[in-house]
Amino acid sequence: LAKTTQPISMDSYEGQEVNITCSHNNIATNDYITWYQQFPSQGPRFIIQGYKTKVTNEVASLFIPADRKSSTLSLPRVSLSDTAVYYCLGSGYSTLTFGKGTMLLVSP
Amino acid sequence: EPEVTQTPSHQVTQMGQEVILRCVPISNHLYFYWYRQILGQKVEFLVSFYNNEISEKSEIFDDQFSVERPDGSNFTLKIRSTKLEDSAMYFCASSLGQHSNQPQHFGDGTRLSIL
């Protein structure tokens, strides 16, 4: 299981782009990088995942450089409802190990 | 979009009582999981389940815990004799495959309060 490091908290304003970077220096060859979002009293919600280069869906983009030692979750034009904890996970099989995540606070 | 559903949303139980938490995973998923999150702490893995047997479990998942898939749709977590420290949010998750390129999808949890 890859050990991941991400900022404890970030602040932003509505309409801005937010980039959350996660480092995972010991990521294994078969590990995927997966990002989850969690609101208070709710379960983690899958946002996006990738192996390398760039992945984009309707919610976010994920950038993973060639060495795969880090990844960046990009949230375009955030709104107040994007205030949540964001988790970066690197794993190969089965068990997910969650860290403390990044608490993103979006202000008006 | 299909989702994992959990019942009840909140369970209050006296210490020492048995409790069963219920989950309906996404219908075509084959791998099932339970996690817990104590208030203010990290989400912790408890157990994974595939083909009607436990495939992996953590140190938290001791003899007081058991899981079952009693029929084709439900997946349950039983705590036989609850303790105060079992108070937490319990999340069920399911995935199509075992590898992380098949992401796990979580329910919104059951808040378990032990009195």
Side-chain angles (χ1 to χ4, degrees):
Chain A
L1 297 170
K3 184 180 186 311
T4 59
T5 304
Q6 50 184 125
I8 293 174
S9 64
M10 293 183 69
D11 295 325
S12 184
Y13 293 97
E14 281 188 293
Q16 289 191 334
E17 178 184 78
V18 170
N19 296 306
I20 306 175
T21 297
C22 175
S23 67
H24 26 81
N25 290 317
N26 66 335
I27 192 166
T29 304
N30 63 350
D31 285 356
Y32 273 67
I33 303 303
T34 307
W35 285 80
Y36 285 87
Q37 174 193 56
Q38 187 179 29
F39 299 112
S41 299
Q42 292 187 24
R45 185 174 77 98
F46 170 78
I47 302 174
I48 196 167
Q49 72 171 180
Y51 185 78
K52 60 182 176 182
T53 65
K54 178 182 175 181
V55 180
T56 297
N57 62 21
E58 63 277 6
V59 176
S61 294
L62 178 60
F63 302 91
I64 305 173
D67 67 6
R68 303 199 334 116
K69 293 183 184 299
S70 66
S71 60
T72 299
L73 175 72
S74 181
L75 304 172
R77 295 182 297 283
V78 294
S79 63
L80 297 178
S81 62
D82 291 317
T83 292
V85 179
Y86 292 81
Y87 300 99
C88 162
L89 291 88
S91 64
Y93 288 89
S94 198
T95 307
L96 296 180
T97 300
F98 286 82
K100 294 183 178 179
T102 296
M103 175 65 221
L104 172 66
L105 176 61
V106 180
S107 301
Chain B
E1 184 178 316
E3 58 183 27
V4 176
T5 57
Q6 292 186 242
T7 55
S9 57
H10 192 186
Q11 174 81 44
V12 181
T13 301
Q14 292 286 336
M15 185 172 59
Q17 295 294 307
E18 175 184 284
V19 66
I20 297 176
L21 309 182
R22 291 182 165 79
C23 169
V24 178
I26 294 173
S27 61
N28 64 335
H29 283 186
L30 302 175
Y31 293 82
F32 314 112
Y33 314 85
W34 284 101
Y35 292 80
R36 79 171 186 191
Q37 186 174 32
I38 296 171
L39 186 64
Q41 298 188 25
K42 301 176 187 178
V43 176
E44 301 174 289
F45 168 77
L46 293 178
V47 66
S48 59
F49 191 86
Y50 169 71
N51 200 26
N52 280 320
E53 58 184 35
I54 291 173
S55 45
E56 195 173 350
K57 61 182 180 180
S58 72
E59 289 180 353
I60 303 168
F61 193 89
D62 61 22
D63 292 343
Q64 296 296 327
F65 291 88
S66 61
V67 289
E68 190 179 32
R69 188 153 163 83
D71 54 43
S73 59
N74 290 284
F75 179 50
T76 62
L77 174 69
K78 182 192 292 186
I79 308 175
R80 187 164 46 224
S81 177
T82 50
K83 303 187 282 282
L84 293 176
E85 53 264 38
D86 293 327
S87 295
M89 287 288 290
Y90 287 81
F91 298 111
C92 172
S94 68
S95 64
L96 193 57
Q98 189 182 14
H99 194 274
S100 63
N101 67 348
Q102 301 286 346
Q104 296 180 27
H105 294 267
F106 287 75
D108 275 340
T110 293
R111 180 178 299 282
L112 178 62
S113 299
I114 307 301
L115 304 179

